[in-house]
C-alpha cells in the first residue's frame, strides 16, 4: 500500500470540496437574441442564469463545474451553454404561445363575462 498516494488523494479530496469555499460573487450581463442574459456566480459557488425578453423572465440554477477556473473563462469556453440554450428556448416558447382566455390590449365587456352575447358587438367577438 502506497501511503504517499493515499495522503495525496485525501488532500485532493479536501481541496475539491467546493462547499468549504466562499467565492467572490460575479455577474456578467449581455444581450442575446434580443433579450438580456445575466449570469451570476454566488458566494456559495452556485450559478444562476437569468434571461429576460419582452417582459418574460426565466431563471435556471447550475452547479459550478470547474471551481478553480475563473467564472468568466468558464462562460467563454461554453461550460454553461446547454443551460443557456434551454433557458432561451423556454422563454421563446412562452413568447410564442397564446392564451385562450386572455388577450393583450383587449378587455371583454362586462356582458361577455356574464354570458350575455346580446351586449357584445360583432367587432368585439373573437
Amino acid at each position: 500500500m502506497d501511503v504517499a498516494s493515499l495522503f495525496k488523494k485525501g488532500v485532493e479530496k479536501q481541496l475539491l470540496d467546493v462547499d468549504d469555499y466562499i467565492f467572490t460573487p460575479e455577474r456578467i450581463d449581455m444581450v442575446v437574441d434580443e433579450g438580456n442574459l445575466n449570469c451570476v456566480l454566488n458566494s456559495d459557488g452556485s450559478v444562476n442564469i437569468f434571461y429576460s425578453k419582452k417582459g418574460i423572465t426565466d431563471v435556471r440554477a447550475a452547479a459550478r463545474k470547474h471551481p478553480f477556473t475563473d467564472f468568466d473563462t468558464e462562460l467563454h469556453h461554453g461550460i454553461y451553454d446547454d443551460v443557456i440554450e434551454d433557458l432561451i428556448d423556454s422563454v421563446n416558447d412562452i413568447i410564442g404561445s397564446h392564451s385562450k382566455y386572455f388577450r393583450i390590449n383587449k378587455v371583454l365587456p362586462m356582458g361577455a363575462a356574464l354570458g350575455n352575447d346580446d351586449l357584445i358587438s360583432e367587432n368585439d367577438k373573437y
Side-chain angles (χ1 to χ4, degrees):
M1 185 170 266
D2 185 14
V3 176
S5 65
L6 286 176
F7 179 73
K8 182 179 176 183
K9 286 182 182 180
V11 170
E12 286 176 350
K13 183 179 179 342
Q14 287 181 352
L15 287 175
L16 294 177
D17 192 2
V18 179
D19 294 335
D20 294 338
Y21 292 92
I22 297 175
F23 295 92
T24 303
E26 293 182 52
R27 180 182 174 135
I28 297 176
D29 301 325
M30 61 181 56
V31 175
V32 177
D33 190 30
E34 299 175 5
N36 295 322
L37 179 70
N38 304 316
C39 301
V40 178
L41 170 63
N42 298 305
S43 61
D44 65 355
S46 64
V47 176
N48 292 84
I49 302 172
F50 299 84
Y51 184 69
S52 298
K53 181 177 177 182
K54 295 185 179 181
I56 306 294
T57 301
D58 199 355
V59 64
R60 300 288 162 86
R64 186 79 192 268
K65 296 186 180 181
H66 298 281
F68 301 112
T69 303
D70 289 337
F71 185 56
D72 189 52
T73 303
E74 283 186 323
L75 291 171
H76 285 289
H77 285 285
I79 302 295
Y80 303 101
D81 281 0
D82 56 338
V83 176
I84 292 170
E85 287 173 4
D86 288 343
L87 189 59
I88 291 171
D89 289 344
S90 173
V91 169
N92 286 334
D93 287 346
I94 293 170
I95 291 171
S97 65
H98 299 284
S99 171
K100 64 182 181 179
Y101 303 107
F102 297 94
R103 304 277 194 264
I104 295 177
N105 299 327
K106 189 74 170 177
V107 177
L108 293 175
M110 188 59 175
L114 298 174
N116 188 352
D117 289 337
D118 297 336
L119 298 175
I120 305 172
S121 70
E122 285 299 316
N123 293 337
D124 290 335
K125 290 185 179 180
Y126 293 110

